[in-house]
Amino acid sequence: MNTRHGQELSPETFRGKVVVVNVWTFECYNCLNALPHVKALAAKYRDQDVLVVGVHTPELARERVPANVANAVARLDVTYPVALDANYAIWCAFYNEYWPSVYIAD
């Protein structure tokens, strides 16, 4: 979600950038508390070589519905790209264990 023309993010998208990955879900209290800080980071560095990417990994059944995620992203005014991770592929790739999590790579 929130990519240019609905395109998937590719390795070229990340090349030469600092990437901030925020693993979250829209009904998690702690995720919602962290969200203003992640959004502020994305806004502050938007015009620099920093790319914030949300990874929405659902905990509850209603968080697995893409339309519900899209509505939450719009309602919460999340403007940076958000990957849907309903099958936990990204979660597992990072060996993640909890919500929210933030990973930074360059």
Side-chain angles (χ1 to χ4, degrees):
M1 298 180 175
N2 291 342
T3 60
R4 179 172 281 171
H5 308 296
Q7 296 176 343
E8 292 184 14
L9 298 176
S10 68
E12 289 75 34
T13 307
F14 304 107
R15 193 172 318 281
K17 299 187 186 287
V18 173
V19 181
V20 179
V21 177
N22 176 39
V23 180
W24 70 296
T25 189
F26 70 79
E27 289 195 353
C28 167
Y29 181 78
N30 290 330
C31 295
L32 295 175
N33 283 337
L35 191 58
H37 303 285
V38 176
K39 289 171 41 178
L41 183 90
K44 181 175 182 177
Y45 296 104
R46 173 181 347 214
D47 297 326
Q48 298 178 34
D49 287 334
V50 176
L51 176 62
V52 175
V53 177
V55 174
H56 187 274
T57 308
E59 182 177 18
L60 306 172
R62 64 185 158 269
E63 295 170 325
R64 295 181 179 280
V65 179
N68 292 349
V69 180
N71 289 336
V73 165
R75 177 177 42 83
L76 296 168
D77 196 30
V78 174
T79 59
Y80 48 83
V82 175
L84 301 179
D85 189 34
N87 64 1
Y88 282 60
I90 300 169
W91 175 283
C92 291
F94 279 99
Y95 297 97
N96 197 59
E97 295 182 8
Y98 51 84
W99 298 267
S101 295
V102 174
Y103 300 91
I104 301 172
D106 69 1

